[in-house]
Amino acid sequence: VNPQLTAQIAGKSIFSALQLKDNSLLLGSVENGLYHVSPEGVLLEHFNQENGLQNNTVLHLYQDEDENVWAGLDNGLSILNLNSPFRIFQDHVGRIGTVYSSFQNEDFLYLGTNQGLYYRKKGAAKFNFINGTNGQVWSLQMVDNVLFCGHNSGTYVISEEIAVKVSDRLGTWAVVDYKPVEGVFVQGHYNGFSFLKQEGETFVDIPLVKDFPHSSKYIVSEENGEVWISNEHKGVFKIRMNDSLKTIHDLKNYPFSEGSGVTSSIFMFNDALYYSNINDVFRYDPATDEFLEENILSEAFKDVDRVSGRMIAMDNKVWAFGERAVISAGPSIRERGYITQSYYLPREYRSIPLGYENLTRLRENVYMLGLVDGYLLFDESFRNKKTEYRIRIDKVEKSALDEDPKTISLSGIEDLHYKNNNLSFYFSIPEYKKFLVPLYSYRLRGLTEKWSEWSSISTAGFENLPYGDYNFEVRGKMGEEILPSVSYHFAIARPWYLSNLAIAAYFLLFLLLLYVIHLVYKKEHDKRIRENEKALKMKNLEAEQKIIKLQNEQLEKEMEGKSRELAVSTMNLVKKNEFLSSIRAKLKESEGSTQVKSVIKTIDKDISEKDNWSFFEKAFNNADKEFFKKIKSRHPELTSNDLKLCAYLRLNLTSKEIAPLLNISVKSVEIKRYRLRKKMDLPHEENLVDYILGI
C-alpha cells in the first residue's frame, strides 16, 4: 500500500494498466488520463487532455518494440514517447503565457513570461504568480547571489516568493556584475544603461548614463573596466566610465553593416568576446582592436543553417538555434577547435520570436527552452538506441485530366494509358517520435536528374507527363542520417497518334507531301521560266523595236539629208539648164556665125548630157531606193524617158521645172504627162503626181 499514490489517484476509475520494460507502471483512467508510476510507487508523470492526450478516457495500452506507448482512447489513438529526451509543458489556456526567461535553484523554478513572473516549489504541480510583477519579464539572472529580474517596468530582486523593485527605470533588458567595483551592477534599458549599487540589504539606483540613448539588450563587463554593449541597429559599443558612473569617459563604436538586427548578440566564451548575427560569428582581437570573422568558433558553425543571430554561452558550450535543431559547440577532445552536437527539435515545436530564444540549465545535462505557449525540457545526455529507419512507398495513384485518381499496384504494372499521365506518390518513414520529423527528397528520372529540396511533406505529384519510361526515387533523412532511396518504375504508353503505325503513315504522308510540293514547285518553276522567257522575248522585241525605230529615225534623217541633196542638185541642174537654154536662145538670134553655131551645139550637148541624168539617177536612188522597183513592178511597159518623168514628178517638180531637165518645151512636158497617165491607166479623177507620190 502506497498512501501518497493512493491519495493522488483517489476517486479515479482505473480501467487499464501496463507494466513497461523498465518495470514502471502505466495506469489508464476513465476520467483523468494516464498516470506513470515508478516501481517504488512514486507518481512520475500525469498525462491528460491538457498536456497532449486527445481525451481523458484510456481504454487500452500497448508498448511497441521501440518502447513507444500507444493509448487507445475513447475517440482515437495517442502515442507517448517515454524514451524521448524531450519533455514539453504546453500552456493551452494561457495561464503563464510566453516564456522569455527561466531560473532554477534548489527549491524553486522561476518562469519569466509576457504576463509576469511565476514560480513553482519543488514537488509542486502548478505554477504560482508573484504579486507585483504584472507585465513583461525579459531576464532572470543570479549575480553575486542576488536573483535579478529584468522587467518591462524596471528591475526586481527576487527572494523566494517575493519580488522587490529596486529600479523604476523603464524597460530592463538585463543585469550583469560590474567587475571593477564590488557590489555594483550594470543595467541595460530600452533607452540606455545605468548602474545599480548594493549597500547592505538595499540598492541605490544611479541615474541613467548621459549621452547614450541606445537600447542596451546585451551587456558584457570586463575586469579592465570596459563595458561592452550591443545594439541591434548600431552594432557594438566599447565604453569606459568615469568614476561617478554617470558619464562616459571613452566610447568606441564597431558597426556591422550586414546581418545585424534584433537577433544579434554579444557574449563571453573562454575569455574571449564574440559578436554574432544570423550570418557570422566575430571574435574581438585586443591586439588589432577589431572584430575578426576568421576564428575557430565561426568555423564550427559555418555549416549550420541558423535562423537567429542569438547565441548563448553556458557551461563551456555555445548554443545556437537552427531551422530544425538546437546546436551546441564545445571544445573538441581530440583536436584543436570545437565540435558541434545537434538536438533535432523542429522550429515549429519551439516557436518563439526570433532573437528572444532562451535556454537555461536546470540540472546536469537538463536544459529548459522557453516557448510561446510554455516550455520544453531536454536531456542532452540521452541517446535513443540505434534505430534502422527505412523509407517506403505506400501508395501510387494515377488519373486522367478532370478524373478521380485510382490506386495502382506497387508490384509492377503494364504501361499506363497515355491519358493517365497524372501521378501521385505517397511515402513515409515509420517513426512516431514527436520531435524527430522525417524529411524527404525525391526525383523522377526520365523527367529530371535533380533531387528536390528536403521537405517534411510525404507526397509528390507530377502532372501531364509525356510518354516514356520513368523511375521515381525518394530518399529520407532522420536527423543527420540520410537513408537509402527506394524507387518505383513505370512507363506511359505512346498515344495512338504516335504509335509506330501512325509514325509510318505520317512518314508516307510526308513523302507524298514532298512529292506534291515537288510537282507544284516544278509547275510553278516551269511557269516562271516561261513567263521569264516571254518577258525576255518582250524585252528583246521592245529592244529590237527601239533599235528599228532608231534605225528608221536614222534612215529618215539620212533620207531627209539625201532628199535635200537631191533637191539641191536637181534645182542646180534645173537652173543650169535654164541658164544654158537662155544663152542658147540669145545665141540663136545671131546664129549666122560659125562660132556661134559651135557654141549652140556645145550647149545642146551639155543640156542633153547623159552624165547629168546618171548623176540625178544616182542621187534619186540614194534618196528613194525602192521607187523605180515599185513603179516598174506596177507598170513594166514604162520606158526610160517615162521613168525619168516619173522621177521628176516624184520630186514634185512642175512642168516648167521639168522642161529644162528634159530639154523640151513645157508643152511637150504636158504631152508626156498625158501619155504617162494613159500608160498607167489612171482614172480621170486621180492626180498623176499624187499617185506617183503614193507609190
mmCIF file of all heavy atoms in Angstrom, residues 43-75:
data_model
loop_
_atom_site.group_PDB
_atom_site.id
_atom_site.type_symbol
_atom_site.label_atom_id
_atom_site.label_comp_id
_atom_site.label_asym_id
_atom_site.label_seq_id
_atom_site.Cartn_x
_atom_site.Cartn_y
_atom_site.Cartn_z
ATOM 1 N N LEU A 43 4.610 8.749 -8.262
ATOM 2 C CA LEU A 43 3.980 9.265 -9.480
ATOM 3 C C LEU A 43 5.011 10.092 -10.257
ATOM 4 O O LEU A 43 5.447 11.147 -9.800
ATOM 5 C CB LEU A 43 2.755 10.117 -9.141
ATOM 6 C CG LEU A 43 1.999 10.704 -10.338
ATOM 7 C CD1 LEU A 43 1.442 9.591 -11.233
ATOM 8 C CD2 LEU A 43 0.873 11.625 -9.867
ATOM 9 N N LEU A 44 5.400 9.581 -11.405
ATOM 10 C CA LEU A 44 6.408 10.268 -12.223
ATOM 11 C C LEU A 44 5.789 11.335 -13.114
ATOM 12 O O LEU A 44 6.281 12.462 -13.189
ATOM 13 C CB LEU A 44 7.154 9.245 -13.092
ATOM 14 C CG LEU A 44 7.900 8.136 -12.329
ATOM 15 C CD1 LEU A 44 8.487 7.134 -13.308
ATOM 16 C CD2 LEU A 44 8.983 8.745 -11.455
ATOM 17 N N GLU A 45 4.725 10.988 -13.824
ATOM 18 C CA GLU A 45 4.100 11.924 -14.769
ATOM 19 C C GLU A 45 2.615 11.630 -14.852
ATOM 20 O O GLU A 45 2.173 10.500 -14.619
ATOM 21 C CB GLU A 45 4.728 11.794 -16.166
ATOM 22 C CG GLU A 45 6.175 12.269 -16.233
ATOM 23 C CD GLU A 45 6.830 11.908 -17.553
ATOM 24 O OE1 GLU A 45 6.941 10.702 -17.841
ATOM 25 O OE2 GLU A 45 7.209 12.830 -18.276
ATOM 26 N N HIS A 46 1.893 12.691 -15.205
ATOM 27 C CA HIS A 46 0.451 12.557 -15.398
ATOM 28 C C HIS A 46 0.101 13.148 -16.765
ATOM 29 O O HIS A 46 0.359 14.326 -17.038
ATOM 30 C CB HIS A 46 -0.306 13.288 -14.285
ATOM 31 C CG HIS A 46 -1.797 13.232 -14.453
ATOM 32 N ND1 HIS A 46 -2.646 14.220 -14.007
ATOM 33 C CD2 HIS A 46 -2.610 12.283 -15.018
ATOM 34 C CE1 HIS A 46 -3.878 13.907 -14.294
ATOM 35 N NE2 HIS A 46 -3.886 12.729 -14.905
ATOM 36 N N PHE A 47 -0.459 12.336 -17.643
ATOM 37 C CA PHE A 47 -0.829 12.774 -18.989
ATOM 38 C C PHE A 47 -2.348 12.824 -19.097
ATOM 39 O O PHE A 47 -3.032 11.857 -18.761
ATOM 40 C CB PHE A 47 -0.293 11.802 -20.046
ATOM 41 C CG PHE A 47 1.194 11.602 -19.980
ATOM 42 C CD1 PHE A 47 1.722 10.478 -19.358
ATOM 43 C CD2 PHE A 47 2.064 12.523 -20.529
ATOM 44 C CE1 PHE A 47 3.091 10.275 -19.303
ATOM 45 C CE2 PHE A 47 3.432 12.340 -20.475
ATOM 46 C CZ PHE A 47 3.953 11.211 -19.851
ATOM 47 N N ASN A 48 -2.842 13.967 -19.582
ATOM 48 C CA ASN A 48 -4.281 14.084 -19.814
ATOM 49 C C ASN A 48 -4.515 15.010 -21.001
ATOM 50 O O ASN A 48 -3.581 15.367 -21.737
ATOM 51 C CB ASN A 48 -5.017 14.567 -18.555
ATOM 52 C CG ASN A 48 -4.478 15.901 -18.051
ATOM 53 O OD1 ASN A 48 -3.884 16.670 -18.805
ATOM 54 N ND2 ASN A 48 -4.664 16.175 -16.769
ATOM 55 N N GLN A 49 -5.746 15.421 -21.175
ATOM 56 C CA GLN A 49 -6.102 16.213 -22.347
ATOM 57 C C GLN A 49 -5.412 17.574 -22.337
ATOM 58 O O GLN A 49 -5.186 18.163 -23.396
ATOM 59 C CB GLN A 49 -7.626 16.390 -22.410
ATOM 60 C CG GLN A 49 -8.128 16.904 -23.756
ATOM 61 C CD GLN A 49 -9.629 16.782 -23.875
ATOM 62 O OE1 GLN A 49 -10.277 16.176 -23.026
ATOM 63 N NE2 GLN A 49 -10.192 17.354 -24.927
ATOM 64 N N GLU A 50 -5.048 18.070 -21.152
ATOM 65 C CA GLU A 50 -4.399 19.369 -21.083
ATOM 66 C C GLU A 50 -2.972 19.330 -21.614
ATOM 67 O O GLU A 50 -2.459 20.344 -22.084
ATOM 68 C CB GLU A 50 -4.393 19.881 -19.631
ATOM 69 C CG GLU A 50 -5.764 20.302 -19.121
ATOM 70 C CD GLU A 50 -5.677 20.949 -17.756
ATOM 71 O OE1 GLU A 50 -4.532 21.159 -17.274
ATOM 72 O OE2 GLU A 50 -6.722 21.244 -17.173
ATOM 73 N N ASN A 51 -2.296 18.188 -21.528
ATOM 74 C CA ASN A 51 -0.899 18.155 -21.960
ATOM 75 C C ASN A 51 -0.626 17.114 -23.048
ATOM 76 O O ASN A 51 0.485 16.604 -23.157
ATOM 77 C CB ASN A 51 0.040 17.919 -20.770
ATOM 78 C CG ASN A 51 -0.261 16.619 -20.042
ATOM 79 O OD1 ASN A 51 -1.059 15.809 -20.508
ATOM 80 N ND2 ASN A 51 0.371 16.424 -18.892
ATOM 81 N N GLY A 52 -1.617 16.810 -23.888
ATOM 82 C CA GLY A 52 -1.298 16.026 -25.073
ATOM 83 C C GLY A 52 -2.283 14.976 -25.488
ATOM 84 O O GLY A 52 -2.418 14.688 -26.687
ATOM 85 N N LEU A 53 -2.979 14.304 -24.572
ATOM 86 C CA LEU A 53 -3.931 13.268 -24.968
ATOM 87 C C LEU A 53 -5.136 13.884 -25.680
ATOM 88 O O LEU A 53 -5.533 15.016 -25.391
ATOM 89 C CB LEU A 53 -4.406 12.488 -23.746
ATOM 90 C CG LEU A 53 -3.373 11.606 -23.024
ATOM 91 C CD1 LEU A 53 -4.051 10.852 -21.887
ATOM 92 C CD2 LEU A 53 -2.692 10.644 -23.979
ATOM 93 N N GLN A 54 -5.715 13.099 -26.587
ATOM 94 C CA GLN A 54 -6.875 13.600 -27.326
ATOM 95 C C GLN A 54 -8.115 13.685 -26.432
ATOM 96 O O GLN A 54 -8.962 14.562 -26.635
ATOM 97 C CB GLN A 54 -7.148 12.700 -28.533
ATOM 98 C CG GLN A 54 -6.035 12.721 -29.580
ATOM 99 C CD GLN A 54 -6.405 11.920 -30.803
ATOM 100 O OE1 GLN A 54 -7.410 12.172 -31.459
ATOM 101 N NE2 GLN A 54 -5.607 10.912 -31.107
ATOM 102 N N ASN A 55 -8.225 12.771 -25.488
ATOM 103 C CA ASN A 55 -9.239 12.902 -24.438
ATOM 104 C C ASN A 55 -8.756 12.139 -23.200
ATOM 105 O O ASN A 55 -7.664 11.569 -23.190
ATOM 106 C CB ASN A 55 -10.630 12.461 -24.901
ATOM 107 C CG ASN A 55 -10.736 10.965 -25.131
ATOM 108 O OD1 ASN A 55 -9.916 10.180 -24.671
ATOM 109 N ND2 ASN A 55 -11.780 10.575 -25.847
ATOM 110 N N ASN A 56 -9.548 12.125 -22.150
ATOM 111 C CA ASN A 56 -9.095 11.607 -20.858
ATOM 112 C C ASN A 56 -9.484 10.152 -20.580
ATOM 113 O O ASN A 56 -9.181 9.620 -19.511
ATOM 114 C CB ASN A 56 -9.638 12.481 -19.720
ATOM 115 C CG ASN A 56 -8.960 13.834 -19.690
ATOM 116 O OD1 ASN A 56 -7.789 13.947 -20.036
ATOM 117 N ND2 ASN A 56 -9.702 14.855 -19.270
ATOM 118 N N THR A 57 -10.139 9.476 -21.531
ATOM 119 C CA THR A 57 -10.582 8.095 -21.304
ATOM 120 C C THR A 57 -9.622 7.134 -21.983
ATOM 121 O O THR A 57 -9.583 7.030 -23.216
ATOM 122 C CB THR A 57 -12.013 7.893 -21.841
ATOM 123 O OG1 THR A 57 -12.889 8.819 -21.204
ATOM 124 C CG2 THR A 57 -12.483 6.475 -21.576
ATOM 125 N N VAL A 58 -8.806 6.421 -21.168
ATOM 126 C CA VAL A 58 -7.800 5.492 -21.697
ATOM 127 C C VAL A 58 -8.350 4.079 -21.555
ATOM 128 O O VAL A 58 -8.475 3.552 -20.446
ATOM 129 C CB VAL A 58 -6.466 5.644 -20.940
ATOM 130 C CG1 VAL A 58 -5.422 4.695 -21.527
ATOM 131 C CG2 VAL A 58 -5.988 7.089 -20.987
ATOM 132 N N LEU A 59 -8.645 3.441 -22.705
ATOM 133 C CA LEU A 59 -9.279 2.132 -22.696
ATOM 134 C C LEU A 59 -8.285 0.984 -22.865
ATOM 135 O O LEU A 59 -8.548 -0.132 -22.421
ATOM 136 C CB LEU A 59 -10.331 2.057 -23.802
ATOM 137 C CG LEU A 59 -11.443 3.126 -23.742
ATOM 138 C CD1 LEU A 59 -12.377 2.967 -24.933
ATOM 139 C CD2 LEU A 59 -12.205 3.031 -22.431
ATOM 140 N N HIS A 60 -7.145 1.257 -23.509
ATOM 141 C CA HIS A 60 -6.195 0.172 -23.756
ATOM 142 C C HIS A 60 -4.791 0.761 -23.891
ATOM 143 O O HIS A 60 -4.617 1.912 -24.332
ATOM 144 C CB HIS A 60 -6.566 -0.589 -25.032
ATOM 145 C CG HIS A 60 -5.752 -1.826 -25.246
ATOM 146 N ND1 HIS A 60 -5.911 -2.964 -24.485
ATOM 147 C CD2 HIS A 60 -4.763 -2.103 -26.135
ATOM 148 C CE1 HIS A 60 -5.053 -3.884 -24.890
ATOM 149 N NE2 HIS A 60 -4.341 -3.384 -25.891
ATOM 150 N N LEU A 61 -3.769 -0.040 -23.512
ATOM 151 C CA LEU A 61 -2.378 0.399 -23.566
ATOM 152 C C LEU A 61 -1.533 -0.677 -24.239
ATOM 153 O O LEU A 61 -1.761 -1.873 -24.055
ATOM 154 C CB LEU A 61 -1.841 0.666 -22.158
ATOM 155 C CG LEU A 61 -2.473 1.851 -21.407
ATOM 156 C CD1 LEU A 61 -2.068 1.818 -19.941
ATOM 157 C CD2 LEU A 61 -2.080 3.169 -22.052
ATOM 158 N N TYR A 62 -0.509 -0.203 -25.038
ATOM 159 C CA TYR A 62 0.363 -1.149 -25.725
ATOM 160 C C TYR A 62 1.729 -0.501 -25.892
ATOM 161 O O TYR A 62 1.845 0.688 -26.226
ATOM 162 C CB TYR A 62 -0.218 -1.513 -27.090
ATOM 163 C CG TYR A 62 0.738 -2.296 -27.968
ATOM 164 C CD1 TYR A 62 0.986 -3.645 -27.714
ATOM 165 C CD2 TYR A 62 1.399 -1.674 -29.036
ATOM 166 C CE1 TYR A 62 1.870 -4.363 -28.508
ATOM 167 C CE2 TYR A 62 2.276 -2.392 -29.829
ATOM 168 C CZ TYR A 62 2.524 -3.736 -29.570
ATOM 169 O OH TYR A 62 3.402 -4.443 -30.352
ATOM 170 N N GLN A 63 2.820 -1.290 -25.660
ATOM 171 C CA GLN A 63 4.183 -0.796 -25.850
ATOM 172 C C GLN A 63 4.813 -1.534 -27.033
ATOM 173 O O GLN A 63 4.861 -2.760 -27.058
ATOM 174 C CB GLN A 63 5.026 -1.013 -24.589
ATOM 175 C CG GLN A 63 6.416 -0.374 -24.683
ATOM 176 C CD GLN A 63 7.192 -0.485 -23.385
ATOM 177 O OE1 GLN A 63 6.987 -1.418 -22.596
ATOM 178 N NE2 GLN A 63 8.083 0.462 -23.136
ATOM 179 N N ASP A 64 5.305 -0.759 -28.067
ATOM 180 C CA ASP A 64 5.880 -1.391 -29.252
ATOM 181 C C ASP A 64 7.361 -1.678 -29.040
ATOM 182 O O ASP A 64 7.934 -1.407 -27.974
ATOM 183 C CB ASP A 64 5.628 -0.531 -30.496
ATOM 184 C CG ASP A 64 6.298 0.838 -30.416
ATOM 185 O OD1 ASP A 64 7.285 0.982 -29.672
ATOM 186 O OD2 ASP A 64 5.844 1.774 -31.104
ATOM 187 N N GLU A 65 8.009 -2.207 -30.093
ATOM 188 C CA GLU A 65 9.406 -2.624 -29.975
ATOM 189 C C GLU A 65 10.352 -1.446 -29.793
ATOM 190 O O GLU A 65 11.478 -1.619 -29.320
ATOM 191 C CB GLU A 65 9.811 -3.438 -31.202
ATOM 192 C CG GLU A 65 9.722 -2.673 -32.506
ATOM 193 C CD GLU A 65 10.131 -3.512 -33.713
ATOM 194 O OE1 GLU A 65 10.302 -4.740 -33.547
ATOM 195 O OE2 GLU A 65 10.281 -2.932 -34.799
ATOM 196 N N ASP A 66 9.932 -0.257 -30.196
ATOM 197 C CA ASP A 66 10.744 0.942 -29.970
ATOM 198 C C ASP A 66 10.428 1.591 -28.625
ATOM 199 O O ASP A 66 10.869 2.712 -28.362
ATOM 200 C CB ASP A 66 10.504 1.954 -31.100
ATOM 201 C CG ASP A 66 11.039 1.453 -32.428
ATOM 202 O OD1 ASP A 66 12.084 0.757 -32.413
ATOM 203 O OD2 ASP A 66 10.431 1.760 -33.472
ATOM 204 N N GLU A 67 9.663 0.890 -27.785
ATOM 205 C CA GLU A 67 9.282 1.333 -26.455
ATOM 206 C C GLU A 67 8.385 2.571 -26.463
ATOM 207 O O GLU A 67 8.290 3.293 -25.472
ATOM 208 C CB GLU A 67 10.516 1.569 -25.574
ATOM 209 C CG GLU A 67 11.366 0.308 -25.406
ATOM 210 C CD GLU A 67 12.539 0.515 -24.466
ATOM 211 O OE1 GLU A 67 12.618 1.584 -23.854
ATOM 212 O OE2 GLU A 67 13.380 -0.407 -24.352
ATOM 213 N N ASN A 68 7.705 2.797 -27.589
ATOM 214 C CA ASN A 68 6.653 3.805 -27.618
ATOM 215 C C ASN A 68 5.384 3.193 -27.030
ATOM 216 O O ASN A 68 5.104 2.009 -27.226
ATOM 217 C CB ASN A 68 6.361 4.270 -29.048
ATOM 218 C CG ASN A 68 7.565 4.916 -29.701
ATOM 219 O OD1 ASN A 68 8.177 5.805 -29.118
ATOM 220 N ND2 ASN A 68 7.894 4.468 -30.903
ATOM 221 N N VAL A 69 4.619 4.005 -26.312
ATOM 222 C CA VAL A 69 3.380 3.522 -25.702
ATOM 223 C C VAL A 69 2.196 4.076 -26.496
ATOM 224 O O VAL A 69 2.089 5.292 -26.703
ATOM 225 C CB VAL A 69 3.280 3.944 -24.224
ATOM 226 C CG1 VAL A 69 1.909 3.561 -23.660
ATOM 227 C CG2 VAL A 69 4.392 3.289 -23.416
ATOM 228 N N TRP A 70 1.336 3.170 -26.929
ATOM 229 C CA TRP A 70 0.140 3.547 -27.663
ATOM 230 C C TRP A 70 -1.057 3.447 -26.721
ATOM 231 O O TRP A 70 -1.249 2.432 -26.062
ATOM 232 C CB TRP A 70 -0.079 2.635 -28.859
ATOM 233 C CG TRP A 70 1.022 2.732 -29.877
ATOM 234 C CD1 TRP A 70 2.234 2.132 -29.836
ATOM 235 C CD2 TRP A 70 0.984 3.507 -31.080
ATOM 236 N NE1 TRP A 70 2.982 2.464 -30.937
ATOM 237 C CE2 TRP A 70 2.232 3.318 -31.731
ATOM 238 C CE3 TRP A 70 0.039 4.335 -31.678
ATOM 239 C CZ2 TRP A 70 2.540 3.918 -32.926
ATOM 240 C CZ3 TRP A 70 0.348 4.934 -32.882
ATOM 241 C CH2 TRP A 70 1.583 4.736 -33.497
ATOM 242 N N ALA A 71 -1.838 4.518 -26.680
ATOM 243 C CA ALA A 71 -3.013 4.562 -25.808
ATOM 244 C C ALA A 71 -4.267 4.568 -26.668
ATOM 245 O O ALA A 71 -4.467 5.482 -27.478
ATOM 246 C CB ALA A 71 -2.974 5.793 -24.915
ATOM 247 N N GLY A 72 -5.109 3.527 -26.484
ATOM 248 C CA GLY A 72 -6.392 3.502 -27.166
ATOM 249 C C GLY A 72 -7.400 4.302 -26.378
ATOM 250 O O GLY A 72 -7.752 3.943 -25.250
ATOM 251 N N LEU A 73 -7.854 5.404 -26.971
ATOM 252 C CA LEU A 73 -8.744 6.327 -26.263
ATOM 253 C C LEU A 73 -10.179 6.144 -26.721
ATOM 254 O O LEU A 73 -10.483 5.350 -27.625
ATOM 255 C CB LEU A 73 -8.283 7.767 -26.497
ATOM 256 C CG LEU A 73 -6.807 8.062 -26.187
ATOM 257 C CD1 LEU A 73 -6.472 9.497 -26.530
ATOM 258 C CD2 LEU A 73 -6.501 7.771 -24.723
ATOM 259 N N ASP A 74 -11.010 6.917 -26.135
ATOM 260 C CA ASP A 74 -12.432 6.849 -26.445
ATOM 261 C C ASP A 74 -12.707 7.283 -27.880
ATOM 262 O O ASP A 74 -13.687 6.843 -28.479
ATOM 263 C CB ASP A 74 -13.198 7.736 -25.459
ATOM 264 C CG ASP A 74 -14.690 7.481 -25.524
ATOM 265 O OD1 ASP A 74 -15.079 6.316 -25.706
ATOM 266 O OD2 ASP A 74 -15.456 8.449 -25.416
ATOM 267 N N ASN A 75 -11.854 8.149 -28.440
ATOM 268 C CA ASN A 75 -12.106 8.635 -29.799
ATOM 269 C C ASN A 75 -10.847 8.615 -30.669
ATOM 270 O O ASN A 75 -10.662 9.466 -31.538
ATOM 271 C CB ASN A 75 -12.670 10.060 -29.770
ATOM 272 C CG ASN A 75 -11.687 11.056 -29.187
ATOM 273 O OD1 ASN A 75 -10.681 10.660 -28.588
ATOM 274 N ND2 ASN A 75 -11.972 12.335 -29.366
#
